[in-house]
Every structure is written in structure tokens, then in C-alpha cells.
Amino acid sequence: MNATEPKIEELKQRLAEINDVRSAAAVLNWDQMTYMPPGGAEARGRQVATLEQIAHEKFTHPSIGRMLTELRSLERTFPADSDEAALIRIARRDYDRAVKVPPAFIAKFSAHQSATYEAWAKARPANDFAAVRPYLEKTLEYSRELANYFPGYDHIADPLIDFADFGMKAATVRALFAELRKELVPLVQAITAQPTADDTCLRQKFPEAQQLAFGCAVVKQLGYDFQRGRQDKTHHPFCTTFSLGDVRITTRVKEDNLGDALFSTIHEAGHAMYEQGIRRELEGTPLARGTSSGVHESQSRLWENLVGRGRGFWRYFYPKLQAAFPAQLGSVPLDMFYRAINKVERSLIRTDADEVTYNLHVMIRFDFELQLLEGKLAVRDLPEAWRERYKADLGIASPHDRDGVLQDVHWFGGQIGGSFQGYTLGNILSAQFYDAALRASPGIPDQIANGEFTTLHSWLQENIYQHGAKFTANEIVKRATGQPLTIEPYIRYLRTKYGELYKLG
Ligand code: ZN
């Protein structure tokens, strides 16, 4: 027995208590988003804030710092890729981050974020950017202040990007996006020069109950475990983890749009299968979570797009979908349905965008975050800058801010900086991981066309899920795919799929 082990056990126990408090706050949040009556909002906000403060105080307690300092010198007594070494490393990283930001700032910023969210929730439907402008200006100030608690950066966005996607910097993301953009822009041009796909088959009336039942049946078959999860309805779909035995998803249903609930259910189940797949030994530690926003998003996107919008997937599921909606889809051929769910068009709303144009929406937001933080763009000029950039990149612009700068919650409930790059990193990685799984098991596409997902699920479990946050994103990509992050598989995937769909030369 290693002499360090009792110390590790003590650390684990303390971290597990903190994790319990945070999980309790997550349950309260989930309840607020699903079943809580509106009258509970005020008290609930306070209750969650209290629990978060308790967790923060417990975690930043000097005794935790002392334990981590002692353990740091002992880290080398464990193999570098052991759970123990990873625990010491990641807990230390979280701790250093947590103690650098003064509690008074956290309280101030968090109260401001709630107030901004409330203001945004009213301003967006009213199309009233002026009403949230002062809030957003303050958010920009706070975001800069937050970054400046981590001096020594190359770009002021670096610390904020690092929180979400450890190891990434503004410069690396910028270079990667420029490379991707060079490929995407001509592809979008070539596709949109072709006749547009007809997606009216998705825009009939599809009763909610049948939609929910079908979505649940699909994700169950993919491998989402309802013994350790459940699905409820919310305004905005999300996935939340209370323990490795309780990872929940939510969805929303639009009766006049079949794709909305279906693909968001598969998306959230992708996030959830990642967390359900984390090894039980990591429960209660900071390793029992996804390793970065990009890797998390790669798991939702892999199931939603590479699997769920694929032809083979629907060869198996389409007859079942037709049986669930015989009047709506009985006479719609598979090929027409497949084209409808993969329709590419220049659009205004990021969350409704197709696979090909989606990343252009992300790049716009990423660039604006950098410009705002650099002081090169003022908040008051943002709506006009938004319109100009949409015109330039996507060829369309909304006269209404509600479909422009006000559309995403991120800046209005969080911070400016680091909020968006994970979506595109996730898209890129989804193809890189899928490609590696196919190299290991070339039979996966045939299995999918027969409704069998076990081989793919097991590959993800083995190479990604089980590790949680034990390895960094860069490490997991290298281990699972044999090379660092690359856009090549993603570009190849898009070119092949959409080249065939839109008959490009
Ligand atoms: Zn997601």
C-alpha cells in the first residue's frame, strides 16, 4: 500500500461532500426548469445561490489547499495515467482557479447574470436591444475583470476559453476556424447554388405524445439508460447530472416541426450517454464529468448528426417513424425524408442551422467575443455589426435584433468569452472520433442500418466515456484517434455526404 493513499482518501471524501452540495443545487435547478410553479422562482434563486456559496467556501477552504500542496509532491509516486495522479492534478487545477477569483466578485457577477437574464427574457420577444444594452456593457466589464484574475495570458479571451476548453487559446481557435472557413464557404456556395430541398413533410402536425414516445424509443436503442436517467419537458433542452446513476435529459416539442424534438432528444442523449458511461470509481470526484465543452459537444453531435441524420440510421428507423405517423408520412418516400432532415440553407438562427452552415454562425459569435473583449467593438455597435457580418457570411440579415444579436442566451446569462467555440470544436471532433471508431470496426455503418448500436457505443465507452475528465481534451483525442485534433475527417464527411445529396461535381 502506497503511504499516500490515506491522504488521497481524505481528499476524495472532502471532494465528495462538495460534490453532494453541488448535485443538490443541480436538482433544484432541474426542478426550476421543469416542474416548479412560477411562484417559487425568487426563493429558488436564493436557495441555489446559498448552496453554491457553501460549495465554493468548502472547496476554497485553506485545508483543501494544504492537502493539495502535500499531495502535489507525492503525485509522482503514482503512474502518470493513474486515477490518483489525475485526481491530484485536476483538483489542483480547479482549486487554483477557484481561489484566484474573490468571492465578492463571484457574488456580484452572479447577481448581475441573473438580472441580465431576466432583462433579456423580456427584451428578446419585445425586440428591444436598448433595454439590455446597459446590462451587456456591464457583462463585458465583468468578463474582462474575470479574465484579469488570470494574468499572463496572450489574449484576454484565453482564460475564459480555457475554462470551457482547457488547453485552447484564442490564437489556436482562430487559426483552426480560419482553416475550416476556407473549406466551408465554397461548400455552402456550391450547395446553395443547387435547388433547395423540400422539407414540407416535416412541417405537418405531429402530436406531442407520439413525438415523445418515438424519441424515447430511439435514444433507448442508442444506449441511453432510462434506469439511470429520465426525460422531461422544458423550454430549452439540456442534460444534467446528479450522480453517475442519475443523468437526465429534457426536450421540447413543436407539433408543427417533427425534426425539433427528435434531433434535440438524440443530441441531449449523446451528452447523457457520455456521463452515464463514466467509470463508477470516479464518482464524486472532479473527474466524474466531461473533459471539455468541445469533447462533450462532440458526443452529442456524433449521435445527432453522424448517426441520427445518416441514411443508414433511417433505413432502419424510417418504417417505424412512418408507423407512428401513418397519415403524415405514409406516402413520403425515405429519400424525400432523408433530404428534408439534411436540408442546407442560409438562415438566421444558429440553433436551427444545418450541419454545413452551423459553424459559420459560431465563428461570427467567436470573433465578436474577441473584438468586444479587445475593445475593438462597442456593445452599442453590436446589432449593426451583427447584421453586416450575417450579410457578408450568410447572405442574409434580420432587421429584428430578436433574430440577430438577441437570439442566444449565452452572453445574457453568462459571460462574454469562451461561450461558443466548443460547438464547432465538437463538430470537428465528432467526425474525427467517428472516423476512428470506423477504422477499428468497419462494420459499424451496416450495424446502424440494422438498428444495432452496441459496437459504436462500446467504442465510445472504451475510448472516451469511461475516462470522464481524467485526460484533457488534447490527450483524449490523441489516445482515441491516434492524432491531434484535425479538421480533415470532418471536411471529408461533409463533402461526401452533401456532395451526394446535392449532386456536386
Ligand atoms: Zn450540446
Side-chain angles (χ1 to χ4, degrees), residues 242-261:
F242 306 146
S243 71
L244 298 181
D246 189 354
V247 184
R248 302 187 188 188
I249 57 175
T250 69
T251 194
R252 70 168 168 223
V253 177
K254 291 184 186 161
E255 292 203 319
D256 61 354
N257 183 348
L258 179 63
D260 200 63

Side-chain angles (χ1 to χ4, degrees), residues 222-423:
L222 299 181
Y224 176 62
D225 181 358
F226 278 91
Q227 292 303 309
R228 297 186 293 134
R230 55 177 286 130
Q231 175 173 270
D232 297 270
K233 283 197 326 173
T234 40
H235 283 299
H236 297 283
F238 63 89
C239 165
T240 182
T241 298
F242 306 146
S243 71
L244 298 181
D246 189 354
V247 184
R248 302 187 188 188
I249 57 175
T250 69
T251 194
R252 70 168 168 223
V253 177
K254 291 184 186 161
E255 292 203 319
D256 61 354
N257 183 348
L258 179 63
D260 200 63
L262 181 59
F263 291 108
S264 85
T265 301
I266 299 175
H267 180 101
E268 297 309 329
H271 283 301
M273 286 189 275
Y274 183 8
E275 305 232 345
Q276 284 185 336
I278 295 170
R279 258 187 307 121
R280 284 304 179 100
E281 292 83 348
L282 306 180
E283 175 91 275
T285 75
L287 306 183
R289 65 181 187 220
T291 192
S292 72
S293 79
V295 172
H296 229 306
E297 198 64 13
S298 76
Q299 297 315 299
S300 55
R301 290 288 175 173
L302 189 153
W303 288 106
E304 177 194 353
N305 289 334
L306 283 95
V307 176
R309 286 183 210 268
R311 204 188 275 278
F313 180 89
W314 287 106
R315 223 168 259 148
Y316 175 78
F317 274 114
Y318 191 57
K320 295 173 170 40
L321 187 68
Q322 284 180 305
F325 301 104
Q328 297 89 334
L329 297 174
S331 61
V332 176
L334 169 60
D335 192 61
M336 181 182 269
F337 175 79
Y338 175 64
R339 283 169 193 281
I341 59 169
N342 288 296
K343 178 180 179 176
V344 176
E345 62 183 336
R346 303 173 191 267
S347 64
L348 293 171
I349 307 292
R350 175 185 62 87
T351 53
D352 296 341
D354 57 83
E355 281 183 276
V356 188
T357 58
Y358 185 91
N359 299 298
L360 299 176
H361 293 262
V362 172
M363 290 173 191
I364 292 173
R365 289 150 178 77
F366 178 76
D367 288 348
F368 282 154
E369 287 196 313
L370 299 193
Q371 290 167 20
L372 286 163
L373 287 163
E374 288 163 4
K376 287 185 183 152
L377 175 65
V379 168
R380 70 169 176 279
D381 298 328
L382 192 54
E384 207 38 52
W386 191 282
R387 266 186 280 281
E388 276 168 26
R389 184 75 192 269
Y390 261 77
K391 198 103 214 158
D393 284 18
L394 287 147
I396 49 168
S398 168
H400 307 296
D401 291 333
R402 73 168 162 260
D403 300 326
V405 66
L406 290 175
Q407 68 180 268
D408 291 307
V409 64
H410 306 59
W411 295 340
F412 302 99
Q415 70 200 22
I416 294 175
S419 309
F420 288 99
Q421 75 287 329
Y423 294 112

Side-chain angles (χ1 to χ4, degrees), residues 1-235:
M1 175 149 172
N2 186 315
T4 316
E5 274 167 26
K7 288 201 175 85
I8 289 266
E9 284 311 313
E10 195 191 343
L11 176 69
K12 270 188 176 167
Q13 201 197 322
R14 294 283 295 275
L15 293 174
E17 280 173 25
I18 295 157
N19 187 62
D20 287 344
V21 177
R22 289 199 177 125
S23 301
V27 178
L28 293 186
N29 269 323
W30 171 86
D31 174 67
Q32 179 162 19
M33 301 303 222
T34 49
Y35 298 108
M36 191 190 77
E42 202 184 324
R44 183 55 51 87
R46 195 186 59 236
Q47 291 155 356
V48 170
T50 302
L51 289 179
E52 274 164 6
Q53 195 192 335
I54 292 170
H56 184 78
E57 279 166 9
K58 283 173 87 71
F59 186 51
T60 53
H61 196 275
S63 61
I64 298 267
R66 276 196 300 275
M67 268 188 224
L68 287 167
T69 305
E70 273 180 58
L71 281 166
R72 176 140 65 177
S73 56
L74 300 166
E75 189 189 322
R76 277 178 301 120
T77 61
F78 296 99
D81 65 352
S82 64
D83 289 355
E84 290 81 2
L87 177 67
I88 296 168
R89 229 171 18 242
I90 307 295
R92 181 86 224 173
R93 200 172 85 202
D94 287 357
Y95 179 82
D96 287 343
R97 241 177 222 170
V99 295
K100 278 184 182 163
V101 187
F105 173 79
I106 295 175
K108 210 167 54 175
F109 193 12
S110 148
H112 170 73
Q113 285 166 331
S114 309
T116 307
Y117 178 83
E118 294 291 316
W120 171 78
K122 290 193 193 87
R124 189 186 174 202
N127 194 35
D128 188 0
F129 181 75
V132 285
R133 191 184 121 188
Y135 290 93
L136 198 58
E137 284 168 344
K138 196 84 198 157
T139 302
L140 179 58
E141 265 176 50
Y142 281 138
S143 303
R144 283 206 191 99
E145 190 176 339
L146 178 60
N148 284 323
Y149 289 116
F150 304 87
Y153 50 70
D154 297 326
H155 189 285
I156 184 164
D158 287 354
L160 307 175
I161 292 171
D162 197 74
F163 294 152
D165 289 289
F166 177 76
M168 286 280 170
K169 286 171 185 284
T172 33
V173 178
R174 219 179 219 160
L176 189 69
F177 283 10
E179 199 190 339
L180 182 60
R181 193 184 167 81
K182 248 192 335 214
E183 305 287 341
L184 284 178
V185 170
L187 185 60
V188 171
Q189 272 161 357
I191 292 171
T192 49
Q194 298 296 316
T196 71
D198 175 4
D199 66 349
T200 46
C201 65
L202 303 175
R203 297 175 190 279
Q204 310 175 63
K205 183 162 164 47
F206 297 93
E208 178 176 302
Q210 282 99 308
Q211 284 202 49
L212 287 170
F214 187 80
C216 283
V218 167
V219 298
K220 191 172 175 193
Q221 196 153 346
L222 299 181
Y224 176 62
D225 181 358
F226 278 91
Q227 292 303 309
R228 297 186 293 134
R230 55 177 286 130
Q231 175 173 270
D232 297 270
K233 283 197 326 173
T234 40
H235 283 299

